Each structure stands twice: as structure tokens, then as C-alpha cells.
Amino acid sequence: MPQDVDWSEIESLVKRLSNKISKLPRTFSSITTLSRGGLVPARLVADQLGIEKIFVDKKKISFDSLFIDDIFDSGDTFNEIIKRVDIPSKFVYATLFARRGKKYPKQLLYGKKTNNNAYVVFPWDKLEFERSQK
């Protein structure tokens, strides 16, 4: 059974995540994300934090650009992205959800852990999920 997430929960998670980011002892000049899953959360967090620049699918990522994704799941995306960062130790990877039971990198900030191992269906990927079930 998938874990369905509605817009109300997304808005709550964006606020929670943005509050965590705001408490960091630093600021960010931009947000970086990957197309598809990270696009909507990146825009919502950018609005919450007042960050105007959003970069998508960059080959090189500056440590002062906050990275936003929808979920930290297998860790594969993080492992790929961290290779592109100029100063990995200062990099922040922020997600709405973190998969329960995984080992999290120190650079990870998240809004909430998943309920279990079920696929998380976000409002922006309902059609994609439905197609995958046919």
C-alpha cells in the first residue's frame, strides 16, 4: 500500500524543513535541484526562505547552494549529487521525506521520516505512479 501525501501535508513539511534550514548558522545564495521530483519542493522551499535563484540539473554545485529533493530514499541520488559539489563537507541536502531505516549522511536535513518502506506518492507524481501500476 503506497503512502499518499496530500498538498496540506506538503505545505506542513515545507514549513518544518524551512524552519530547520533557517536555524543553520549560514545562508544560501541559491537552491539546486534535479528535474522531476525536486522541482516542486525546490520552488516551495525557495518561497519560504526568500531565495530567488533555483538551478536545475547542474553539472557542478556550489556548497552555498541548498540542494532540495522530494525524498532521501536509497541514497543513490545523494551519492551522485555529492560528487558534483565543490566543498562536500559544507553541502546541505534537504528533503521533505527520509526513508525510515536508512543510514543518513551528515549533510541531510529532512522534514519527516516515511511511515515504512511503501512508495511515497506525492501530489505531483500521482499520474506517474498510476501509470507504473498498469
Side-chain angles (χ1 to χ4, degrees):
M1 188 79 183
Q3 180 176 340
D4 286 304
V5 181
D6 64 18
W7 282 110
S8 176
E9 185 172 6
I10 294 299
E11 289 171 5
S12 173
L13 289 171
V14 165
K15 285 181 183 159
R16 183 183 305 165
L17 183 59
S18 296
N19 284 337
K20 287 182 177 184
I21 294 163
S22 295
K23 290 178 182 164
L24 294 174
R26 58 181 290 195
T27 58
F28 298 92
S29 63
S30 62
I31 286 177
T32 301
T33 192
L34 295 177
S35 59
R36 307 279 303 171
L39 289 172
V40 175
R43 173 58 197 264
L44 296 173
V45 171
D47 285 350
Q48 279 289 315
L49 297 176
I51 297 174
E52 293 184 11
K53 290 183 195 166
I54 299 175
F55 299 109
V56 181
D57 297 336
K58 298 291 280 181
K59 299 251 186 279
K60 298 216 179 268
I61 301 170
S62 170
F63 77 92
D64 74 338
S65 186
L66 173 66
F67 191 88
I68 302 287
D69 203 358
D70 52 2
I71 186 169
F72 178 88
D73 201 352
S74 64
D76 291 348
T77 301
F78 174 85
N79 291 333
E80 186 55 40
I81 292 303
I82 196 79
K83 296 176 196 171
R84 302 181 195 181
V85 180
D86 57 0
I87 307 176
S89 63
K90 294 186 177 184
F91 177 62
V92 176
Y93 189 97
T95 65
L96 299 179
F97 281 94
R99 175 68 62 201
R100 187 174 295 280
K102 296 291 181 180
K103 185 173 188 281
Y104 305 137
K106 66 179 183 348
Q107 296 94 333
L108 180 68
L109 279 181
Y110 60 88
K112 178 181 177 181
K113 288 184 181 179
T114 59
N115 295 342
N116 51 39
N117 283 332
Y119 186 86
V120 178
V121 182
F122 295 98
W124 52 85
D125 70 2
K126 282 185 196 258
L127 287 175
E128 179 183 344
F129 177 74
E130 289 169 8
R131 284 186 196 114
S132 76
Q133 298 304 297
K134 292 180 181 174

